[in-house]
Amino acid sequence: MRDVGGGHAVTTTPSQTIGPYFGPALPASGTGPPVLRGSVLDGDGAGVPDALLEFWPPFARVPTAADGSYVLRTSSAVPPYLAVCVHARGLPRHLFTRVYFAELPDDPLLAALPPERRATLLALPGPSGHRFDVRLRGERETVFLSF
């Protein structure tokens, strides 16, 4: 407790971590077929079970499952790339990245990266949508952007 003057005392609140996230509070990610699926992985390659990914456009928030996997569904057209914001326990600030559905030769961000780093931003096509894993650290760490 700390006296803030005038005989009023306040108690500090405990520190908070990001999450947990509750499904009813999240906007639906769409009703169409899966557009993107993948996992959020820590530095050891283990799935991060309580991360939250924000994608725009279209704006959608998608939590990860217990194994760190996620599925993004949308009923609208998908642009050449999506902006992604990653929230996860242990991150003092959220992270920003992009996911590209194809390599764009005239994109300034992709052009500025060496091929091995550029590959961390490219979704891989598959039979049930594209796959994009977010690697928070370690080998093949996803390129994160600062604003």
Side-chain angles (χ1 to χ4, degrees):
M1 291 246 254
R2 187 176 91 180
D3 184 1
V4 294
H8 299 291
V10 295
T11 305
T12 57
T13 60
S15 62
Q16 302 291 311
T17 59
I18 295 175
Y21 301 104
F22 301 98
L26 300 174
S29 70
T31 56
V35 171
L36 192 63
R37 61 179 69 236
S39 296
V40 177
L41 305 167
D42 67 15
D44 296 324
V48 177
D50 55 358
L52 178 73
L53 301 171
E54 292 180 4
F55 296 93
W56 64 97
F59 182 73
R61 287 182 174 173
V62 180
T64 57
D67 64 355
S69 65
Y70 71 90
V71 177
L72 172 67
R73 297 175 185 277
T74 183
S75 53
S76 59
V78 178
Y81 71 85
L82 298 174
V84 183
C85 182
V86 181
H87 302 267
R89 182 187 315 233
L91 293 178
R93 300 190 67 161
H94 44 274
L95 302 172
F96 294 99
T97 190
R98 286 182 179 175
V99 55
Y100 288 84
F101 293 98
E103 193 160 349
L104 304 175
D106 57 348
D107 184 87
L109 173 60
L110 290 179
L113 296 170
E116 66 277 1
R117 299 296 292 143
R118 187 179 316 136
T120 70
L121 299 179
L122 299 174
L124 303 174
S128 58
H130 283 73
R131 176 159 189 99
F132 181 71
D133 292 332
V134 177
R135 296 177 186 277
L136 298 176
R137 285 205 267 173
E139 190 177 333
R140 298 180 309 181
E141 176 183 327
T142 300
V143 170
F144 295 107
L145 310 172
S146 36
F147 292 100

